[in-house]
Amino acid sequence: MQSVCVIGGSRYFGKLLVERLLTAGHRVTVINRGSVPPPAGVDHLVVDRNDEAALTAALGTRAFDVVVDQVCYTPVQAAVSARAFAGRTRRYVMTSTIEVYDPATAALPSVPPGTPVPEESVDPAVWPVSPDLPWHDDAYLEAHYAEGKRQAEAVFARAGGFAFAAVRSAHVLGGGAREFTGRLAHYTGRVTRGEAIAVHAEALPTVFIQHEELADLLVWAAAADFTGPVNACSDGPLDAHDLAAAVAAQAGREAVRRTVPVGEEASPFSFDRHYAMSNARAKALGFSFSRTADWLPGAVAEALALPGAPTD
């Protein structure tokens, strides 16, 4: 049994993570702003993680075996947490993203299409950090999401005071009403309404992970002893055409596609550039992944069953 602090953990796979930690017998503390109460049996600290003085005061004399940070988006937030948790935890796990590899958002090493991108393509130990950028501005942060994650990883990697690991998650699907991004619902809605799905003519494959599998991986990462980044994705990349076909098969409809040129915005998961991740490191460390093709039909069925989803 470990003492685990989860920062965030109020929705989607973060909420499931808290539930899984409790089921496994761990002592769990959740830190968030109080909009959603955690399950019974969880120590709940209501505080804004951006307010360093308030965070430090709320922590008091608490110490943890592991911190799992679900909602760190900027180097400023990372620096606050690195100071607040120094000496309070032996291990810090940050939930990061596949977007750190997006070549449209930074000058990154070139990877040939079809070659899964390894963790060393973005090394947080040497990535430059610019805390003075307007990270507090929501519009700026949204436009620089990938860079915010890269720099947050970099701050933790150099902080010292605890062992640091970053879980770089693939695109998360599944969960029905839990899934709040609406990206899979974009496909199910358009297919069932007979509306065109905008895709690139040569849409490149990307990788996915089911929300329960990601929660399981985070539980595993909390108990492990590896450091540095690790990619989290199910086996079997798909492109936007594959995803549309999977939705159409489940819905019993035909998918209508509209081709858009390179550089033009398309539907979610249609990419005109390659950055599908490799999960080889996580496998070598002992985690076993499912195949996307095995769980995707269930995720599509959940999205089709949501209230308000079109029907015949």
Side-chain angles (χ1 to χ4, degrees):
M1 180 176 69
Q2 295 192 102
S3 175
V4 183
C5 176
V6 178
I7 305 176
S10 62
R11 60 180 181 173
Y12 204 21
F13 61 86
K15 186 174 181 179
L16 188 56
L17 165 64
V18 172
E19 294 169 357
R20 295 282 170 89
L21 288 168
L22 283 174
T23 299
H26 298 299
R27 299 188 305 275
V28 182
T29 298
V30 166
I31 294 176
N32 60 33
R33 290 180 293 186
S35 58
V36 179
V42 171
D43 185 15
H44 188 196
L45 303 182
V46 179
V47 64
D48 185 346
R49 59 96 40 85
N50 299 304
D51 186 333
E52 184 170 354
L55 177 59
T56 301
L59 287 170
T61 60
R62 291 175 178 83
F64 309 97
D65 294 306
V66 188
V67 175
V68 182
D69 193 341
Q70 292 283 87
V71 288
C72 188
Y73 304 108
T74 76
V76 177
Q77 290 177 323
V80 167
S81 290
R83 291 189 294 266
F85 286 95
R88 294 182 186 271
T89 185
R90 64 168 181 81
R91 181 168 179 78
Y92 200 106
V93 178
M94 172 189 156
T95 303
S96 191
T97 173
I98 185 177
E99 303 299 334
V100 302
Y101 301 115
D102 187 350
T105 64
L108 299 172
S110 177
V111 179
T115 303
V117 180
E119 287 85 354
E120 55 264 29
S121 293
V122 176
D123 183 357
V126 298
W127 195 264
V129 176
S130 302
D132 295 331
L133 293 173
W135 297 112
H136 61 280
D137 181 84
D138 289 343
Y140 181 87
L141 180 56
E142 182 177 0
H144 297 83
Y145 171 73
E147 182 61 16
K149 285 289 192 179
R150 285 188 287 258
Q151 292 196 25
E153 286 189 29
V155 169
F156 284 126
R158 301 169 203 175
F162 43 66
F164 171 67
V167 173
R168 293 173 176 169
S169 170
H171 307 292
V172 189
L173 296 179
R178 284 183 184 241
E179 199 282 304
F180 62 90
T181 68
R183 293 177 298 182
L184 184 54
H186 171 91
Y187 282 80
T188 57
R190 287 186 172 271
V191 167
T192 54
R193 292 191 297 265
E195 298 173 356
I197 298 169
V199 295
H200 296 101
E202 297 182 3
L204 293 171
T206 189
V207 286
F208 299 87
I209 191 166
Q210 199 254 5
H211 73 298
E212 292 189 18
E213 185 165 39
L214 181 54
D216 288 338
L217 189 143
L218 288 166
V219 172
W220 166 78
D225 58 4
F226 70 85
T227 58
V230 65
N231 295 335
C233 59
S234 302
D235 290 330
L238 300 173
D239 63 28
H241 297 281
D242 298 327
L243 185 57
V247 171
Q250 195 77 11
R253 305 287 183 91
E254 181 178 352
V256 180
R257 300 173 180 84
R258 175 174 63 85
T259 301
V260 300
V262 171
E264 184 174 317
E265 186 175 355
S267 293
F269 312 128
S270 183
F271 296 105
D272 55 7
R273 55 203 184 275
H274 169 72
Y275 61 108
M277 300 187 299
S278 166
N279 61 12
R281 185 181 189 220
K283 286 181 175 179
L285 288 168
F287 192 84
S288 180
F289 289 96
S290 67
R291 292 194 58 80
T292 306
D294 292 336
W295 56 257
L296 183 59
V300 172
E302 290 170 345
L304 287 168
L306 287 174
T311 59
D312 286 325

